[in-house]
Amino acid sequence: MKRRDFLKLSIASSLLAACDRWKAKGRIGLALGGGGARGLAHILMLQVMDELNLRPHRIAGTSIGAIMGVLYASGMSGQQIEQLIDRLTVSKDESWFSALFEQDVSKWWDIIEIQLGRGGLMDTKGLVSFLKEIITVSRFRELKIPLKVVSTDFWARKQVVFESGDLFPAIQASIAIPGLFSPIHHNGKVLVDGGLVNPVPYDLLFDECEVVIAIDVLGNRTPVSDDGPSYIENTFNTMQIMQASIMREKIKNRPPHVYIHPDLNNIRVLDFHRFEDIYTQAMPAQKKLKRTLRYYQI
């Protein structure tokens, strides 16, 4: 290679690196994916943002990611969200019987009501009522960080994105896992869990953010019995197979700038009582996110 060509290549590489560096210092978009109880891992990632004094320009959330997103966008810190979860969940060292006598923990029984024959086993009205007690705002425009919430139009089979109006119908629709939670009727549509169409909605952030961070908490499942999956396992893991396929295609088409996929093994959708195990399994991903953001000096 001639000396002139080498200099041209060096200059081009330097400019490209400088461009990447500039992008890394731009507006941050944070996408929080769905995954039921595995979504508690989002708390550790939010704590990294707090520790590094990074404020997202936009947040997008699906299902449990929408819940974590609205708590964070309303002004709660990652530490405050963890303290909230600690009050509401049961430690593995406690029994359900003794936990019933704890005032805050017993609220779990009021949060989700059993309702057969209405399109799902459970109704999320109690959960939404609880969120209204915690979050002091009720509309998207009142949030401290703009938020996009993803749900699915059941009959049209397409994505519905909420970013204005009333917060709580959007959250309620985004978490309506088919077969588990009843669908939500809103503005003439039947809405269900956003994970059916967009498990980690980082693609909604590219137009408004220079740096897009995606937190994927779909986790991993391994065989638990030689007899094959149970009815419930077959139902929920089938959805997760579909979601994993969607994510592979999305990443192949356009990956986020930072992709974090905590190695969460054999955590079921409603295993909220395993929060300590979830935190432990998510810690390596938390460290990876911290290293990545520090490296780029975002």
Side-chain angles (χ1 to χ4, degrees):
M1 179 183 294
K2 294 181 179 179
R3 187 170 182 273
R4 179 178 297 178
D5 293 335
F6 176 80
L7 289 174
K8 287 181 179 179
L9 180 60
S10 299
I11 292 171
S13 299
S14 298
L15 289 173
L16 180 61
C19 181
D20 289 341
R21 197 79 167 183
W22 175 81
K23 285 184 178 180
K25 292 182 179 180
R27 295 172 298 183
I28 298 172
L30 179 64
L32 304 175
R38 295 183 295 274
L40 297 181
H42 287 313
I43 296 172
L44 275 68
M45 312 310 154
L46 296 175
Q47 290 174 347
V48 170
M49 304 296 289
D50 293 337
E51 181 180 341
L52 299 181
N53 197 28
L54 298 175
R55 179 185 174 90
H57 178 67
R58 294 283 188 276
I59 298 175
T62 293
S63 200
I64 186 70
I67 292 179
M68 294 297 169
V70 74
L71 291 172
Y72 197 67
S74 69
M76 293 183 69
S77 68
Q79 185 63 34
Q80 288 172 326
I81 298 173
E82 181 180 0
Q83 291 170 354
L84 173 65
I85 297 301
D86 286 347
R87 295 203 313 269
L88 290 172
T89 50
V90 181
S91 170
K92 63 184 178 180
D93 297 326
E94 296 177 298
S95 68
W96 283 104
F97 183 78
S98 64
L100 287 175
F101 294 95
E102 298 292 334
Q103 181 179 0
D104 288 328
V105 174
S106 65
K107 286 185 179 180
W108 279 112
W109 295 102
D110 299 323
I111 289 175
I112 299 175
E113 301 172 353
I114 298 295
Q115 290 213 339
L116 300 175
R118 298 192 180 181
L121 294 175
M122 304 177 184
D123 189 357
T124 54
K125 291 180 180 177
L127 173 57
V128 171
S129 296
F130 173 74
L131 287 175
K132 287 180 179 179
E133 294 179 12
I134 299 301
I135 302 171
T136 58
V137 300
S138 61
R139 303 187 69 80
F140 277 88
R141 68 169 181 265
E142 298 171 318
L143 294 171
K144 295 183 179 180
I145 301 173
L147 174 69
K148 300 175 187 285
V149 172
V150 177
S151 66
T152 302
D153 186 321
F154 184 86
W155 294 113
R157 302 176 180 178
K158 64 182 182 180
Q159 175 176 268
V160 175
V161 179
F162 291 89
E163 51 186 318
S164 63
D166 192 347
L167 274 170
F168 298 106
I171 301 299
Q172 198 171 0
S174 187
I175 66 173
I177 300 173
L180 180 61
F181 297 120
S182 303
I184 304 304
H185 296 259
H186 183 69
N187 289 342
K189 295 183 175 66
V190 177
L191 303 175
V192 293
D193 192 294
L196 296 175
V197 290
N198 202 342
V200 188
Y202 67 83
D203 51 296
L204 302 180
L205 301 170
F206 283 121
D207 290 343
E208 300 171 282
C209 304
E210 284 77 36
V211 182
V212 173
I213 302 169
I215 312 297
D216 180 351
V217 293
L218 288 177
N220 309 297
R221 294 290 281 150
T222 56
V224 295
S225 170
D226 294 335
D227 299 329
S230 65
Y231 175 82
I232 296 297
E233 181 68 27
N234 188 35
T235 301
F236 288 115
N237 202 47
T238 297
M239 286 183 56
Q240 290 158 24
I241 291 170
M242 175 194 68
Q243 292 171 332
S245 298
I246 292 172
M247 283 305 300
R248 282 193 292 270
E249 290 303 312
K250 285 185 59 175
I251 291 174
K252 186 188 303 182
N253 179 57
R254 187 177 184 182
H257 301 100
V258 179
Y259 177 66
I260 301 296
H261 184 195
D263 193 17
L264 302 169
N265 292 297
N266 293 325
I267 305 293
R268 295 174 298 181
V269 171
L270 296 180
D271 279 349
F272 288 94
H273 63 285
R274 296 181 59 190
F275 66 100
E276 292 174 336
D277 190 17
I278 294 168
Y279 293 157
T280 299
Q281 292 191 36
M283 282 180 182
Q286 181 191 42
K287 293 177 181 178
K288 177 183 177 181
L289 178 61
K290 188 184 300 183
R291 287 196 305 270
T292 302
L293 298 184
R294 280 178 171 168
Y295 174 78
Y296 284 109
Q297 296 182 357
I298 293 178

